[in-house]
């Protein structure tokens, strides 16, 4: 029998009347089933534009809707009755659950699922007030979101909570935390800067504080006021009430915890929400508010998971990528693909092969395809000949053509990738079509049924949807706002969506189009949209004209209407493309890399902390907030110490040099043609607000370095591109170097156009061979004996001009004697150029005289 659904009347902001809980009966009738409340709506915009059309709780993670992980976790931990609160796209969630074994209870268990629907709530606080208003919670209960993946022992937490409640009736809540490192929490999972203060003897929470991680300083960003604000630290110093030290023998300050968003609550929690209409956000309002009102006596406690337990909430695309990889790597066991337990009632047939590759029995992978670690191939998936695939998930009936490269990406149901396309660290929703030779940049999100035309390039961090972007004025926008996602898709008289348009070049508008930050950096509770859904999926409808054009685009024809007029912008996705390009708000641009589905570089996050600490005049150099000497912050290697960089300028330049090197090495590893490498480097140029000459200088040093053993800071997967030992002699070194430079000389010449750019490149080459500034410890000194020959080589390959070499020589003539080392080495080559130049001038004069 299907569990009843509770109605959808809205709560008004009035003084609520508390209803007394029914008195328990004696004997067996006194037993109250263990209950749970699941918030299937997160009230934010982090997954837009995907959640314009589908609730995040139903979004597949490793080909399983996220709500399935939640219900499986609760059912295996003794929960008997679950209330799933639905707001955005409520009809889709209700329909899914009512047609699933969870509500049909075909297994005959005591696990019952109810749906509570309200299309008027705009926050988690209002949802809990509605739950209280329904009087359905009869005892202590589990509270969690519909996007948590967990295998933790919930029974152990419940036992500790119940034992505490018997002794202390005002112990109203137990919060679960997962031990981690600050770097992993904020860079890998995309969570905020979290500080939790507890009493170590009782685990009582005394202080809870979270902030968005600091942004990188960017002198090119914003107006005068915004630039002025960047000169101030973004993370405030930790301030604790002095009474905490007098009331508690000792306190513990933790900066290495991840909030699991799994809570055990007393019914009093609901009462407090009803009595305090200012409580909207579970953490920022309720937890912080309760801790600040200690005079009321309500206490919160912490439970820290064991090292082999897992519980993480998927509240951003960055977390989606991290949790997907954790599932594939079996940190969430038994919730892994090859147990074939989820979704309930389905008959999946996954088998695992080393290294962590899961294939359904009905998936077909061509024998010539190169399959790397960490892949999931769903039912009916087809991978073509010559494909290169690694760390990616392929949904049901996904079709991938020949010679396609897919890395670090998530392709949902019925996605089609045609021959020779490249998809890197991207997300493609159901029905997406990527035509041949197209390139999808890192961090890109393609919403439902988007079509990318042949040969088109979708820039890094782009978001594309058939829905046009909802209008929002600058003075209305707040990247920290909660609850604006629900109902924020206004309609016009024809019932379709309102937009700001979405056309524009994916190349020319790359910086403006990028879209990567979470909409709610302060909010860790609450991404869903448009509560007025009237269909199986869409929060908007396509016109007949658009439907016809979409069908043409998917078949590879121009997306035109009946009179031959282009329906979607040609500049955005090509003549055979379909979709609108969304633009990020200016205030989100600096955080594109941090919350994207593409992994964020640890060194870049660390730099943001370093810069923020440098601005904080209240912090002593030995007590900086991020702990610059903490070896756990960064990539965890001993070489990554907080004193690695001399000053902020060198530090920023070192990070940029690494970014260029890793981007270029990725092109080398995958065998990219020059045109594709230009696209990759162009995206980095625009994201970093640099010039092509800046890129080229570090590309050349990376090319030269490929003749030497791998430097210490190169990523492990790129280390294989380097030889194990240095060439035995200078001639052998020059032979290897020439081969490397010849391959990329046209790209370097394309980037180094002016005399000034080439002179700057020569000065950078001096630094590399001297192992100075950003090249310390990279082994470039091995190239010093070959310096003049390398100059001649670059000259012969048209990377350097005669004028540039002579200008460099003239500049070095006025330098200090110790700075003329490389000029002396290059003297024969420079003299040869001067003689050739003089002979050319004499010939020109002779020809002039003869005329």
């Amino acid at each position: 029998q299907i569990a009843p659904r509770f109605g959808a009347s809205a709560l008004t902001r009035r003084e609520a009347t508390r209803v007394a809980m029914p008195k328990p009966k004696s004997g067996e009738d006194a037993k109250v089933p263990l209950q749970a409340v699941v918030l299937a709506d997160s009230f934010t915009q982090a997954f837009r534009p995907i959640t314009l059309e589908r609730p995040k709780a139903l979004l597949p993670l490793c080909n399983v809707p996220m709500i399935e992980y939640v219900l499986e976790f609760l059912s295996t931990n003794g929960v008997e009755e679950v209330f799933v609160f639905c707001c955005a796209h409520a009809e889709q969630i209700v329909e899914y659950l009512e047609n699933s074994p969870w509500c049909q209870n075909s297994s005959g268990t005591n696990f019952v699922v109810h749906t509570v629907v309200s299309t008027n709530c705009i926050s988690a606080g209002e949802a809990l007030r509605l739950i209280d208003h329904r009087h359905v919670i009869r005892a202590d209960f589990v509270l969690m979101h519909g996007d948590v993946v967990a295998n933790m022992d919930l029974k152990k937490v419940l036992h500790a909570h119940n034992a505490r409640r018997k002794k202390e009736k005002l112990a109203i809540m137990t919060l679960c935390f997962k031990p981690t490192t600050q770097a992993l929490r904020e860079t890998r999972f995309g969570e905020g800067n979290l500080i939790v203060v507890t009493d170590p003897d009782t685990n009582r929470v005394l202080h809870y504080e979270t902030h968005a991680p600091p942004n990188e300083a960017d002198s090119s960003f914003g107006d005068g006021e915004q630039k002025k604000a960047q000169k101030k630290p973004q993370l405030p110093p930790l301030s604790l009430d002095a009474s905490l030290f007098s009331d508690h023998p000792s306190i513990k300050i933790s900066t290495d915890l991840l909030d699991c968003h799994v809570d055990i609550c007393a019914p009093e929690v609901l009462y407090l929400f009803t009595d305090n209409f200012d409580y909207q956000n579970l953490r920022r309002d309720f937890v912080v508010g309760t801790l600040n009102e200690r005079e009321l006596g309500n206490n919160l406690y912490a439970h820290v998971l064991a090292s082999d337990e897992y519980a993480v909430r998927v509240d951003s695309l960055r977390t989606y990528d991290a949790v997907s990889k954790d599932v594939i790597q079996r940190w969430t066991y038994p919730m892994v693909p090859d147990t074939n337990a989820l979704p309930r009632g389905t008959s999946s047939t996954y088998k695992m092969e080393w290294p962590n590759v899961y294939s359904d029995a009905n998936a077909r992978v061509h024998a010539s395809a190169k399959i790397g670690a960490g892949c999931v191939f769903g039912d009916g998936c087809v991978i073509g000949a010559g494909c290169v695939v690694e760390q990616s998930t392929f949904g049901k009936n996904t079709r991938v053509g020949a010679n396609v490269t897919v890395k670090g990406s998530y392709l949902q149901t019925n996605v089609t990738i045609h021959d020779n396309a490249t998809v890197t660290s991207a997300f493609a929703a159901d029905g997406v079509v990527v035509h041949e030779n197209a390139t999808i940049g890192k961090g890109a999100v393609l919403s439902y049924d988007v079509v990318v035309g042949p040969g088109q390039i979708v820039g890094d961090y782009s978001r594309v949807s058939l829905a046009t972007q909802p209008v929002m004025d600058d003075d209305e926008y707040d990247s920290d706002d909660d609850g604006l996602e629900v109902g924020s898709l206004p309609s016009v008289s024809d019932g379709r969506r309102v937009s700001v348009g979405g056309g524009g070049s994916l190349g020319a508008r790359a910086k403006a189009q990028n879209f990567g930050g979470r909409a709610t950096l302060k909010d860790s509770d609450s991404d869903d949209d448009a509560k007025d859904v009237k269909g199986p999926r869409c929060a908007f409808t396509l016109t007949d004209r658009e439907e016809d054009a979409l069908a043409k685009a998917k078949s590879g024809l121009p997306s035109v209407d009946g009179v031959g007029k282009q329906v979607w912008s040609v500049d955005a996705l090509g003549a055979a493309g379909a979709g609108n390009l969304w633009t990020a708000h200016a205030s989100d641009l600096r955080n594109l890399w941090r919350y994207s589905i593409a992994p964020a570089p640890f060194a870049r996050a660390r730099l943001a902390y370093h810069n923020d600490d440098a601005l904080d005049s209240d912090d002593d150099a030995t007590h900086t907030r991020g702990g610059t000497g903490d070896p756990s912050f960064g990539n965890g290697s001993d070489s990554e110490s907080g004193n690695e960089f001399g000053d902020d300028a060198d530090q920023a330049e070192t990070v940029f040099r690494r970014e260029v090197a890793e981007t270029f090495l990725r092109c080398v590893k995958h065998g990219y043609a020059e045109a594709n490498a230009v696209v990759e480097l162009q995206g980095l140029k625009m994201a970093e607000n640099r010039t092509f000459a800046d890129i080229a200088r570090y590309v050349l040093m990376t090319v030269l370095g490929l003749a030497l053993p791998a430097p210490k800071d190169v990523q492990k997967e790129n280390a294989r591109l380097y030889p194990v030992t240095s060439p035995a002699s200078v001639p052998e070194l020059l032979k290897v170097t020439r081969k490397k430079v010849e391959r990329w000389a046209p790209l370097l010449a394309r980037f180094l156009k002016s005399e000034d750019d080439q002179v700057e490149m020569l000065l950078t080459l001096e630094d590399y061979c001297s192992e100075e500034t950003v090249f310390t410890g990279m082994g470039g000194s091995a190239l010093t004996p070959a310096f003049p020959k390398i100059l001649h080589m670059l000259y012969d390959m048209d990377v350097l001009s005669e004028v540039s070499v002579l200008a460099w020589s003239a500049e070095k003539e006025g330098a200090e004697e110790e700075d003329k080392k490389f000029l002396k080495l290059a003297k024969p080559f420079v003299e040869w150029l001067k003689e050739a130049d003089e002979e050319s001038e004499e010939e020109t004069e002779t020809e002039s005289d003869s005329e």
Side-chain angles (χ1 to χ4, degrees), residues 196-229:
V196 180
V197 180
T198 57
D199 183 325
D201 297 325
T202 63
N203 290 327
R204 179 181 161 191
V205 179
L206 307 175
H207 184 84
Y208 183 102
E209 183 175 328
T210 183
H211 302 279
N215 296 322
E216 296 174 298
D218 182 359
S219 60
S220 66
F221 175 81
D223 55 24
E225 290 299 317
Q226 289 169 319
K227 291 179 181 178
K228 184 177 179 181

Side-chain angles (χ1 to χ4, degrees), residues 482-493:
D482 309 329
L484 289 181
E485 189 74 6
V486 179
S488 64
L489 189 65
S491 59
V492 289
S493 57

Side-chain angles (χ1 to χ4, degrees), residues 793-812:
M793 181 195 309
L794 296 172
Y795 172 76
D796 289 341
M797 296 179 185
D798 295 326
V799 176
L800 284 177
S801 69
E802 175 185 330
V803 174
S804 299
V805 176
L806 295 178
W808 168 75
S809 171
E811 182 176 321
K812 298 299 291 187

Side-chain angles (χ1 to χ4, degrees), residues 431-448:
V432 165
V433 175
V434 178
H435 285 297
E436 60 273 7
N437 300 307
T439 299
I440 312 300
K442 66 179 180 181
V445 175
L446 307 180
S447 193
Y448 299 95

Side-chain angles (χ1 to χ4, degrees), residues 680-696:
E680 290 284 326
L681 295 169
Q682 184 180 35
L684 179 61
K685 165 190 172 291
M686 303 184 80
E688 299 289 344
N689 194 30
R690 293 297 195 105
T691 66
F692 278 127
D694 292 333
I695 299 285

